[in-house]
Structures are given as structure tokens and as C-alpha cells.
Amino acid sequence: MFMAQPSTDHGPENPNRKPQPKIGIALGAGGAKGVAHIPMLEALDELGITPHRIAGCSIGAVMGALYASGLSAQVIKDKIARLAITRSDTVRGVFSDKKISKWLGMIDPDFRRSGLIKSESIMAELCEDRSCETFEELAIPLTVVATDFWERKAIVLDSGPLKPAIQASMALPGLFSPVELDGRVLIDGGTVNPVPYDVLTESCDVVIAIDINSGSAAERGSVPGYFDTVFGSVQIMQQAIVEQELRARPPDIYINPQLSDFRTLHYHKVDEIYRQADAAKQELKHRLAERLAI
């Protein structure tokens, strides 16, 4: 669960710093690539910047909620490390840390539920030491985007119960079951608004959009399997939506980490994702420092 802290872990305040503009950051959809949001949040911590508001969609909603609850980027990275299975893990270590059993416990073999993985299990693992139940309890205001399945339109969630809103935003069709909330059937917000920076424009002076889906495709030229076809098609659609939004109303700062060779469920490649995202992290730091004169 989530727990808001009176003072966040996002880094020390500098008493000599000039009042900064209201910074908004939008974290986008992208499956396993979503851990690339963590280096972008590290950039904020290293610059001593606390966002005025965070927006998130799908995996970006998960990362945004963790950060908004008061966790630093490093603490979030540590959480991911405790859950993800990486190349540095030994076979003995994987079983002693019970990583295998954690992942097996998330699999839901009942396909009548319209999903393969239990989103509530993932939320429980990531949020085990956080006890915030509502948006109002977060240390940083958060907005998440989901999709009304039957109305076929975006639903903006920024108040009330937090966990079902995050689960709805990340309910990727075929992977997670839809979420029933306030009389609506909600699925992944990435199907209509993959990088929801537009919800920040009225409340923030500087809007940052993090688009983790714009890197090159994995194994270009090969014939995709079933899951790669399904999830890859969603990502193609998401990229087309973002490109249209960028032409219509670009954000103040657009960052697109060049992440290649990663599929939706490649959570075992987090170390490589961090490595590939580092250049984008440095770009974000440079552009923010230049923009804010810090």
C-alpha cells in the first residue's frame, strides 16, 4: 500500500534556491520499459526538484504513484530489484529470495477473468510498505488515465480510492483483467492517451513528457509470436497516438529514451533498461537545469 510522508525522500531542499516554476511530469505506458521512468525520477532527485503534479498511464501510473507517495527514485529502484529476476541473480539466490514464488503467485490461470496476471498481486508487492488509500493522501498530487471500455474514451482519475485507479490504468488487455470502478469498466489508459501530459498543462508552468515507447523494435525483421503480436500491436497504436499529440500540442520538454530489444514482459532485463535510459536521464537533467537556470 501507499503511505504519504510529512517530508518526502526526494532529496534535500536548498534554502538559497529561487522559487521554481511548477513542474509537471507525465510518465507513459510501455510495459517492462516502464522501469526507465526511474532514471528520469532520479534526475529530479539529483537536481533537488519536487514536481508540482505527476501524471501517469499504465506502468507510468504505477511508477508515478510510488514516487508521489514520498519514495525516492532510489527506493523505487530497490523495490524493483527485489522483485525482478536479473542476470546477476544466481539460481540459489532467486529461490532463497522467493522471487520465483512471487511471480508464480501473480499468475492467474483462469482466462475467464480476461487477464493472465493479477494486478492486485503486483500492487501488493510494490506497495507493501505504503498505506495510503486515496489520492488525497499522497505527498505529490497525482493524475492517472484509464480507458472506459464501453464508452471508448479516456477517464481521468485524480481523487478518491487510489489502488483501483492504478489497477485500471495498467489493465493492459489480455494481460490484466479490466477493473470495475464507479459503474464503469476500465482498461489500460494507454489505449487512448499513452503519455498523458495534456492533463498537466493547466496546472503546471513546465510540462515534461516521458515517452518510453518510441525506441526501436526488438529483433526487427523476425516474425513475432502470439504475445509479441498482441502487445506489439498495442504499442504501435500508442506510438501513433503520441506522434499525433506531439504535432498538435507538444510539451515543454519531451524525452524519449531509446530503448531497444525489450518486450512488454521483459522485467528480467531491468539492468539493461537502466543502462540504455541513462542518456535520456542526462538529457533531462541538462534541459531542466538550462530551463530553470540551476
Side-chain angles (χ1 to χ4, degrees):
M1 293 185 180
F2 299 98
M3 177 176 64
Q5 300 288 340
S7 60
T8 71
D9 302 321
H10 298 317
E13 292 291 334
N14 183 350
N16 298 318
R17 185 184 300 280
K18 296 179 181 179
Q20 67 177 36
K22 294 177 180 178
I23 305 295
I25 185 167
L27 309 178
K33 291 181 180 181
V35 298
H37 288 309
I38 298 176
M40 308 306 127
L41 298 174
E42 283 180 328
L44 300 183
D45 287 348
E46 291 169 13
L47 291 173
I49 294 173
T50 299
H52 175 68
R53 180 173 286 274
I54 301 170
C57 175
S58 197
I59 187 65
V62 178
M63 296 298 170
L66 291 171
Y67 195 70
S69 74
L71 294 178
S72 69
Q74 182 59 55
V75 172
I76 299 172
K77 181 181 284 188
D78 293 341
K79 280 180 167 289
I80 297 297
R82 290 197 297 270
L83 184 60
I85 299 173
T86 66
R87 290 182 179 179
S88 62
D89 285 317
T90 63
V91 173
R92 178 178 296 179
V94 166
F95 282 95
S96 64
D97 291 342
K98 299 182 179 179
K99 289 184 176 181
I100 289 292
S101 61
K102 288 179 181 178
W103 279 101
L104 290 176
M106 295 177 194
I107 303 299
D108 186 351
D110 185 359
F111 285 94
R112 291 173 297 176
R113 286 169 49 94
S114 305
L116 177 63
I117 299 178
K118 301 174 184 177
S119 60
E120 56 267 32
S121 299
I122 292 181
M123 296 293 290
E125 288 292 339
L126 289 174
C127 313
E128 59 185 352
D129 57 350
R130 288 315 202 214
S131 60
C132 182
E133 298 293 335
T134 67
F135 281 88
E136 290 77 10
E137 297 172 77
L138 294 171
I140 300 172
L142 174 71
T143 299
V144 303
V145 174
T147 301
D148 186 314
F149 181 82
W150 295 115
E151 294 292 332
R152 302 182 181 183
K153 65 181 182 180
I155 301 297
V156 175
L157 304 167
D158 58 7
S159 64
L162 180 62
K163 186 180 293 185
I166 304 301
Q167 289 177 248
S169 183
M170 64 182 284
L172 182 65
L175 189 61
F176 298 113
S177 299
V179 173
E180 294 185 62
L181 183 63
D182 297 332
R184 301 177 184 272
V185 176
L186 303 179
I187 62 171
D188 195 314
T191 58
V192 291
N193 193 355
V195 188
Y197 62 86
D198 58 302
V199 304
L200 299 172
T201 55
E202 292 187 3
S203 60
C204 299
D205 302 316
V206 178
V207 174
I208 305 166
I210 308 297
D211 179 10
I212 56 174
N213 237 354
S214 60
S216 58
E219 299 180 11
R220 185 181 300 274
S222 62
V223 178
Y226 174 79
F227 284 109
D228 286 336
T229 299
V230 173
F231 300 145
S233 297
V234 172
Q235 292 177 342
I236 291 170
M237 174 192 67
Q238 290 174 344
Q239 187 166 341
I241 293 172
V242 172
E243 288 174 357
Q244 182 175 345
E245 285 294 310
L246 290 173
R247 288 192 295 269
R249 44 183 174 181
D252 298 293
I253 298 176
Y254 172 72
I255 301 293
N256 58 328
Q258 295 302 296
L259 306 173
S260 61
D261 302 321
F262 302 114
R263 297 187 175 95
T264 299
L265 298 179
H266 275 181
Y267 286 96
H268 61 288
K269 294 187 175 184
V270 293
D271 292 338
E272 180 62 16
I273 294 173
Y274 292 144
R275 187 189 69 78
Q276 291 191 20
D278 186 66
K281 170 187 173 180
Q282 301 307 322
E283 178 189 357
L284 177 58
K285 287 183 68 174
H286 172 75
R287 295 183 64 181
L288 274 173
E290 185 177 58
R291 179 104 187 192
L292 304 178
I294 56 177

